């Protein structure tokens, strides 16, 4: 298809497509004349992926570039490729100086080990969770995350992972991961607050 | 105790305490001399609540005022008081014009009815969830929220609600709700992404 059709089908404006081509986020089309190139389904899939990362994941272009490098590096196993996208979605958390941080971080590492989860030592989620634990400890909240972890694991293994097309095109798997992580995460968060309202009504209504 | 001790015990600076007094967020102490007042445990609890809403809930002062009015209005049932805090924590979502919005909003209302949940018709979480459903539909994601809702309900009824001291001081119940909603929500979000990494490793590793 021509660039105009690619634009119509993807909903991405032509100047934006040209920007992605210049930045190397979108691979070049097949040149058919000096000023004319042909695009195909792979380009459409890539544009869907870029939109997912940009509009739903709210990732900066530099992070999107890194994820796309992982998608294009066919020698990289699918799990590593998905990890690159996944880590890009995690907020960057700086370890804080002091004992509170070390206690919290040790607690996270022990939780992961106790659960038998397979999480990379450098996964940014470890520091992200440690930061929340530091706040909880400072505020005197009880810190027993095991029921939360068990709930998350059941949800992920019984519901979420089946939605990722691991064995299709690499772009599609990453797109499903990004959309699923962000949008179902938002949905769960709203549903949790709804469940709190309903349970509070059940317990407190006359 | 004097204001200096209140400041030391709460970790809130004296000028900030004076600002809360002027704004009516903190009730006046017992006047013991022209320039001297006595404060007590209720003031400490109130300062803890304000900090929770400000620093963890990230609520603007106008919203904090509304919640505190609900805390101070003893004629308001506990469930309504907690609802005021809860709704203040929900992002404000404007209904979008168009058919997509109506379809999504109907879907939310049907889900709530099917689950038998007790949610106010004007609860902001209904619009919040509808907004996420609109995005999902536009992106072609499967929309079956039932497993997410069931998971949320189990988590809330078996784990979360027991942490709210419904029958103690009103400040303490609202504080526990705000901290629990925000911090355990963050923790769950990180744990869910950890579970995704672990499950992806399990399924894809050689």
């Amino acid at each position: 298809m021509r660039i105009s059709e690619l634009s119509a089908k993807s909903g991405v404006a032509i100047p934006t497509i040209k920007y992605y081509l210049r930045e190397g986020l979108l691979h070049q089309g097949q040149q058919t004349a000096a000023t004319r190139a042909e695009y195909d389904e792979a380009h459409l899939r890539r544009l869907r992926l870029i939109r997912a990362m940009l509009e739903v994941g709210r990732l900066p272009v530099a992070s999107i570039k890194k994820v796309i490098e992982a998608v294009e590096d066919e020698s990289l196993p699918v799990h590593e490729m998905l990890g690159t996208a996944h880590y890009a979605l995690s907020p960057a958390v700086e370890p804080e100086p002091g004992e509170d941080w070390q206690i919290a971080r040790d607690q996270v590492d022990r939780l992961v080990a106790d659960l038998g989860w397979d999480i990379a030592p450098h996964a940014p989620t470890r520091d992200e969770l440690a930061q929340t634990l530091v706040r909880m400890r400072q505020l005197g909240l009880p810190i027993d995350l095991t029921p939360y972890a068990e709930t998350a694991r059941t949800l992920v293994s019984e519901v979420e992972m089946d939605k990722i097309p691991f064995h299709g095109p690499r772009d599609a798997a990453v797109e499903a991961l990004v959309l699923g992580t962000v949008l179902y995460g938002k949905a769960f968060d709203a549903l949790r607050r709804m469940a709190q309202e309903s349970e509070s009504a059940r317990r407190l209504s006359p």
Side-chain angles (χ1 to χ4, degrees), chain A:
Chain A
M1 71 190 93
R2 306 269 306 266
I3 195 167
S4 52
E5 194 182 343
L6 182 65
S7 168
K9 281 197 176 170
S10 64
V12 178
I14 292 179
T16 309
I17 293 178
K18 288 186 173 165
Y19 167 72
Y20 294 158
L21 287 165
R22 276 198 310 277
E23 287 289 316
L25 298 178
L26 184 66
H27 46 291
Q28 300 294 328
Q30 181 89 24
Q31 209 70 29
T32 55
T35 58
R36 201 162 151 169
E38 271 288 308
Y39 300 92
D40 60 17
E41 289 301 314
H43 292 92
L44 263 179
R45 262 199 303 273
R46 172 62 50 84
L47 286 175
R48 284 182 59 107
L49 172 58
I50 294 172
R51 285 190 69 176
M53 292 195 281
L54 206 61
E55 294 170 19
V56 177
R58 303 207 178 269
L59 295 184
V61 169
S63 303
I64 294 179
K65 261 190 174 163
K66 258 199 250 173
V67 176
I68 284 183
E69 275 167 26
V71 170
E72 292 189 339
D73 177 2
E74 304 265 351
S75 72
L76 200 67
V78 173
H79 174 62
E80 306 290 325
M81 172 187 78
L82 294 175
T84 307
H86 220 198
Y87 290 179
L89 289 173
S90 285
V93 165
E94 283 299 311
E96 297 160 17
E99 201 192 23
D100 281 359
W101 178 270
Q102 205 45 58
I103 292 170
R105 182 55 212 258
D106 288 348
Q107 210 166 4
V108 170
D109 293 344
R110 211 160 43 239
L111 178 71
V112 169
D114 288 350
L115 292 163
W117 284 8
D118 197 345
I119 311 279
H122 64 282
T125 38
R126 289 180 188 258
D127 283 343
E128 187 189 342
L129 187 56
Q131 189 181 51
T132 302
L133 291 189
V134 167
R135 295 297 277 138
M136 287 181 174
R137 173 178 303 273
Q138 287 166 348
L139 292 160
L141 290 192
I143 303 186
D144 177 16
L145 292 183
T146 309
Y148 288 86
E150 303 280 11
T151 302
R153 193 176 47 86
T154 307
L155 186 69
V156 165
S157 67
E158 293 180 5
V159 180
E160 303 216 278
M161 275 296 148
D162 295 330
K163 292 190 189 130
I164 309 286
F166 289 118
H167 304 292
R170 292 166 69 94
D171 286 271
V174 174
E175 186 201 328
L177 184 86
V178 170
L179 294 179
T181 299
V182 176
L183 291 176
Y184 290 101
K186 271 187 203 291
F188 183 84
D189 196 55
L191 285 164
R192 173 172 166 258
R193 276 175 284 116
M194 286 175 142
Q196 289 175 346
E197 175 175 344
S198 179
E199 188 67 13
S200 161
R202 203 181 63 73
R203 295 199 184 191
L204 295 172
S205 285

